[in-house]
Amino acid sequence: MDTPPYARIVTEIRHRIATGELRAGDRVPSTRQLIQDWGVAMATATKALSTLRQEGLVRAVRGVGTVVADPSERPVPAREPRAGDLELNRERVVLAAVAVADTEGLPALSMRRVATELDVATMSLYRHVRNKDELVLLMADAVLRENALPAEPPPQWRAGLEITLRAQWATYRSHPWLAQVLSVTRPQVLPALLAHTEWTLRVLHGHGLDQGTMLYAHITAFSYVRGIAVNLAPEAEAEQDTGMTYDEWMSAEGEPALAALVGPGSFPVFQEIAAGGEFDLDLDRLFEFGLTRLLDGFAALLEPA
């Protein structure tokens, strides 16, 4: 009987760990790398990594990917209760799905992948969520509740807007996939998301704005934070796939590509700034920079001369 493709991948990676080719802390191939290298489907690549995790040979690290586990951290033969031994409920399904998306990215999320994480049959999940689309919405609502807003906004509008926008940024930072889920043109009806909308409208209320202007102001502020956050997941995935941080990638590929494009006399202002060598893109700094300017602009609307 032929060995299943996922088992062949497991055997190969297990061998590389046993021989020391892959050491504790080393990144193992991501699901996308396995798909490319082995010509298998996403489900097969996911099952291979899940099997290695169940064996204790690898572990998922948020923002890094899957790495070889330290031998001292690997489970002992004595069996401990498995997740599947516990009573399954909607909360556990959602939490498991969030963990998968946090460590492996939203493309890796599937009902089968979550079932594997919980050590249960895939069909058992459908007693608690209708489908993957509903699961993703439940995930979004759950993580938006993590940075709870105070019961009442402060009296100053600027402080009030900072509270909700920083809470949103913190949530995106912890769960980079969230920015890919939320929509401005077709907003999801989520209690936690509506709480942020209500908070912003309460902050803006009473400053002489009409209803349409208040909503546009809210959407502008929400879109600003989400607009920066959409870069988080692609950067995390790129770092997992290439094994290079942003700085390492810029040194190895970005800067040489720019040097080949920018010749003498072309783009002079850009060349002058680049020659200074002082700029280092940091998304947290970008968020803070833009937030200050956004709120300065709102001051003209809310505090007219």
Side-chain angles (χ1 to χ4, degrees), residues 217-237:
H218 156 64
I219 295 170
T220 297
F222 172 83
S223 298
Y224 165 70
V225 184
R226 179 177 175 272
I228 302 296
V230 294
N231 298 287
L232 294 169
E235 174 57 26
E237 291 173 8

Side-chain angles (χ1 to χ4, degrees), residues 156-215:
Q156 301 82 14
W157 67 265
R158 189 174 187 120
L161 289 181
E162 282 199 39
I163 288 173
T164 183
L165 298 182
R166 290 187 189 282
Q168 292 171 35
W169 177 247
T171 304
Y172 287 128
R173 255 313 194 179
S174 298
H175 310 283
W177 51 269
L178 179 63
Q180 304 171 63
V181 172
L182 300 181
S183 173
V184 172
T185 57
R186 302 189 181 192
Q188 293 80 1
V189 182
L190 304 175
L193 190 58
L194 189 57
H196 281 271
T197 301
E198 175 69 13
W199 175 280
T200 302
L201 295 178
R202 289 176 66 186
V203 168
L204 297 174
H205 192 261
H207 290 274
L209 304 181
D210 61 64
Q211 295 177 349
T213 301
M214 289 172 60
L215 285 171

Side-chain angles (χ1 to χ4, degrees), residues 1 12 78 102 145 149 152 168 206 224 250 279 301:
M1 183 175 180
E12 171 65 20
D102 284 350
R145 296 175 187 275
L149 300 171
E152 294 292 332
Q168 292 171 35
Y224 165 70
M250 280 298 297
F279 182 77
L301 181 68

Side-chain angles (χ1 to χ4, degrees), residues 8-72:
R8 293 199 294 270
I9 297 173
V10 170
T11 299
E12 171 65 20
I13 295 178
R14 190 189 291 130
H15 173 73
R16 294 172 64 185
I17 294 173
T19 60
E21 181 181 347
L22 287 173
R23 301 178 181 275
D26 288 349
R27 291 174 61 254
V28 301
S30 65
T31 51
R32 289 200 291 183
Q33 285 178 293
L34 292 176
I35 291 169
Q36 294 171 0
D37 295 345
W38 290 76
V40 296
M42 171 68 80
T44 300
T46 299
K47 186 173 183 179
L49 292 181
S50 297
T51 301
L52 290 166
R53 274 195 297 272
Q54 290 172 356
E55 293 180 0
L57 294 175
V58 303
R59 61 188 180 91
V61 178
R62 180 180 295 181
V64 176
T66 303
V67 303
V68 178
D70 189 287
S72 64

